[in-house]
Amino acid sequence: MNPPQNNLPQPPPFFWGDTPEDEYYKSQGVRNSKSYFQTPNGKIFTQSWLPLDENQPVKATVFMTHGYTNDTSWVFQKICISYAQWGYAVFAADLLGHGRSDGLHGYIGDMDKAASTSLSYFSSVRQSEQYRHLAAFLFGESMGGLITMLMYFQSDPDMWSGLILSAPLFVIPEPMIPSKLHLTMYGLLFGLADTWAVMPPPRMAPPPGWDMKKPNLKAMNPNRYAGKPRVGTMREVVRGTEYVRKNFEKVKVPFLVAHGTADPMACQSGSEMLYEKADTPKEDKELKLYDGMGHSLIAGEPNEASDLVLADMKAWIDHKVEKYGPKCN
């Protein structure tokens, strides 16, 4: 969730401005494709970003999941484009109830279902003839980190080569914990209130060091959900975070988790807990804490700060692919 923004200017056609998509992607050295993928739970909107040169060998595949209220069309692309520039094939999908995917906007009434829906697309690409021989990584940001962990738990043990998590939501900060009174009260309506957008939104000041132009740009996303949190979504966030914390010891693959120490939206203690409890060999798990940085490590910080995070991510995945490559699978 983003801090409230008022009197925002008219958004540009794209987060980067007025430059046509094909021209912009070409200037970044990547190519983009868009499509819809049919799942048992509805159609989801998907995108891919690959190196511009079709003859350039792809290092590995990365499957990315955005956070709550977000989608793949706006500033989340900065992460996707960066990985494609580094030589990776990147695939992402709008979560159910988000962006251009099916579902009531802002509503995730079943977190496991949302995870399995995106996973059905990711699995189809990961197991395709073109990519099955490559190492494959799951990437999740914020609530997308929570859903990424659920995808990992739903997958075959050897399906993924590693996890990359940016400010994952594993522990909810005290001011953001949904009211038990509200959840109980609406729960007594036998599901009738599950989709209602009536949960009190958290009101917090942005942490020190935020580049305020970037949160404003994030809030201008025309596909962003800007309403109050829906009852079922908040219930599932509470249930999902409790579930993954109880199952951290089942994580056995290499992972990198990045977290800002001034994050008001997801407690760094959740990332620390994952690092401590995961059964991944110590040399294959890494926790990077960024002093004074907030929740949106790539899209919400000054360029020099976000560039540092991206450099750390590049170093980690390049090392894992060089060390293990397809042998991870």
Side-chain angles (χ1 to χ4, degrees), residues 20-316:
E21 280 188 303
D22 287 348
E23 186 177 331
Y24 174 76
Y25 290 131
K26 187 175 181 180
S27 74
Q28 299 300 302
V30 303
R31 48 196 163 99
N32 169 266
S33 67
K34 300 175 175 63
S35 64
Y36 284 89
F37 184 81
Q38 185 65 53
T39 81
N41 302 316
K43 285 192 301 184
I44 55 174
F45 178 74
T46 72
Q47 295 198 70
S48 70
W49 297 261
L50 288 89
L52 185 62
D53 182 359
E54 296 185 24
N55 295 317
Q56 177 181 338
V58 171
K59 296 179 181 178
T61 52
V62 184
F63 299 87
M64 297 197 171
T65 301
H66 62 80
Y68 175 64
T69 79
N70 205 354
D71 73 333
T72 63
S73 72
W74 206 246
V75 294
F76 186 71
Q77 287 196 63
K78 181 174 180 180
I79 309 172
C80 304
I81 290 170
S82 295
Y83 275 78
Q85 289 172 332
W86 304 337
Y88 295 91
V90 179
F91 302 88
D94 290 357
L95 291 167
L96 282 177
H98 288 70
R100 284 174 270 187
S101 290
D102 284 350
L104 180 64
H105 208 194
Y107 177 62
I108 296 182
D110 185 332
M111 197 74 72
D112 295 311
K113 177 180 172 181
S116 65
T117 301
S118 292
L119 180 61
S120 66
Y121 166 63
F122 291 165
S123 298
S124 72
V125 178
R126 197 265 176 278
Q127 296 169 345
S128 67
E129 189 64 32
Q130 185 175 4
Y131 296 114
R132 64 191 310 166
H133 65 288
L134 295 176
F137 298 82
L138 290 174
F139 179 107
E141 181 181 57
S142 188
M143 188 185 75
L146 168 61
I147 291 177
T148 292
M149 192 61 71
L150 293 174
M151 284 190 236
Y152 172 72
F153 291 146
Q154 292 175 8
S155 302
D156 292 335
D158 297 327
M159 186 168 183
W160 304 109
S161 311
L163 307 173
I164 306 162
L165 304 166
S166 178
L169 179 58
F170 297 146
V171 174
I172 308 170
E174 190 68 31
M176 282 186 59
I177 296 175
S179 163
K180 290 184 179 179
L181 174 62
H182 285 96
L183 288 176
T184 301
M185 179 178 68
Y186 293 126
L188 292 174
L189 297 178
F190 302 102
L192 294 175
D194 211 52
T195 62
W196 292 1
V198 293
M199 295 297 288
R203 296 188 177 276
M204 300 181 214
W210 268 31
D211 178 347
M212 288 307 297
K213 292 180 181 178
K214 290 185 177 179
N216 277 337
L217 183 61
K218 287 176 65 180
M220 285 192 286
N221 181 355
N223 293 318
R224 173 179 174 266
Y225 175 70
K228 288 183 177 181
R230 299 187 186 276
V231 174
T233 305
M234 293 300 99
R235 181 199 68 247
E236 283 297 285
V237 167
V238 172
R239 186 191 65 80
T241 52
E242 291 175 350
Y243 174 80
V244 298
R245 290 199 305 270
K246 292 176 181 177
N247 288 276
F248 278 156
E249 68 278 0
K250 295 180 181 178
V251 177
K252 301 180 185 299
V253 294
F255 67 82
L256 167 68
V257 57
H259 219 121
T261 62
D263 189 338
M265 307 293 181
C267 292
Q268 74 178 61
S269 61
S271 293
E272 293 169 335
M273 198 181 306
L274 169 64
Y275 181 82
E276 293 166 2
K277 292 188 174 184
D279 197 34
T280 302
K282 189 170 183 179
E283 65 272 17
D284 283 332
K285 55 184 177 180
E286 187 166 353
L287 171 64
K288 300 287 289 188
L289 297 177
Y290 297 93
D291 189 40
M293 292 178 67
H295 185 59
S296 186
L297 295 174
I298 308 302
E301 296 286 340
N303 288 340
E304 60 270 22
S306 60
D307 287 347
L308 172 63
V309 178
L310 287 171
D312 288 341
M313 289 182 175
K314 181 180 186 301
W316 185 87

